[in-house]
Amino acid sequence: MRHAFDKFGGSLGATGSVTYMFENKGVLIIERTTSLDEDTVMEMALDAGADDVIVEDDCYEIRTAPQDFSAVRKYFEEKQIVLDEADILMVPNDKIDLNADQMVSFLKMLDAFDDNDDVQDVYHNVNLPEDDDED
């Protein structure tokens, strides 16, 4: 991992050095379809005990406190709502933009992490290009 950071201009901090920049959240992703409108998803999420719903062009992102994640997931599953993703993740408090050169290096670094069998999860606070589906 250190090699990937060095090769692509990143830096590896001490364990936990950037945890203040992230929050542990339950995240459920539901595909945005004509059968599920924004008001319905919002109402269901609040009924289930979720904290927030973020509406994207192609999906709804429902966020929960980690301790409420299982109950919210169960609620949607009982309503037979297909969850594209459901996990507890480290969600960035703020996202940053990179210039084109920085983005190229950053995406190469993410690819290097993806190719490393020792890396299980990668969390970052970079706004990725729309056509990229990295974590």
Side-chain angles (χ1 to χ4, degrees), residues 26-51:
V27 177
L28 299 95
I29 306 291
I30 299 172
E31 182 181 358
R32 192 169 177 179
T33 64
T34 55
S35 62
L36 271 178
D37 65 27
E38 185 176 336
D39 291 337
T40 302
V41 172
M42 191 75 73
E43 184 178 318
M44 291 172 73
L46 292 175
D47 287 347
D51 293 340

Side-chain angles (χ1 to χ4, degrees), residues 18-19 21-25 27 88-92 123-124:
V18 296
T19 55
M21 296 170 55
F22 295 84
E23 283 187 79
N24 204 21
K25 291 280 186 182
V27 177
I88 296 178
L89 305 172
M90 295 298 289
V91 177
Y123 300 106
H124 61 81

Side-chain angles (χ1 to χ4, degrees), residues 1-2 5-6 23 29 34 47 57 68 82 84 91 93 100 115 120 135:
M1 262 187 28
R2 183 173 299 281
F5 274 107
D6 292 342
E23 283 187 79
I29 306 291
T34 55
D47 287 347
D57 290 338
D68 298 330
V82 175
D84 290 346
V91 177
N93 294 325
D115 292 342
Q120 294 177 1
D135 293 320

Side-chain angles (χ1 to χ4, degrees), residues 27-87:
V27 177
L28 299 95
I29 306 291
I30 299 172
E31 182 181 358
R32 192 169 177 179
T33 64
T34 55
S35 62
L36 271 178
D37 65 27
E38 185 176 336
D39 291 337
T40 302
V41 172
M42 191 75 73
E43 184 178 318
M44 291 172 73
L46 292 175
D47 287 347
D51 293 340
D52 195 11
V53 176
I54 298 167
V55 179
E56 301 286 344
D57 290 338
D58 59 347
C59 69
Y60 300 105
E61 180 176 317
I62 300 163
R63 293 190 181 175
T64 74
Q67 64 270 19
D68 298 330
F69 173 74
S70 293
V72 173
R73 180 180 184 166
K74 183 178 178 183
Y75 177 91
F76 280 94
E77 288 172 345
E78 287 175 350
K79 300 282 186 189
Q80 299 181 339
I81 304 295
V82 175
L83 301 172
D84 290 346
E85 183 179 331
D87 211 346

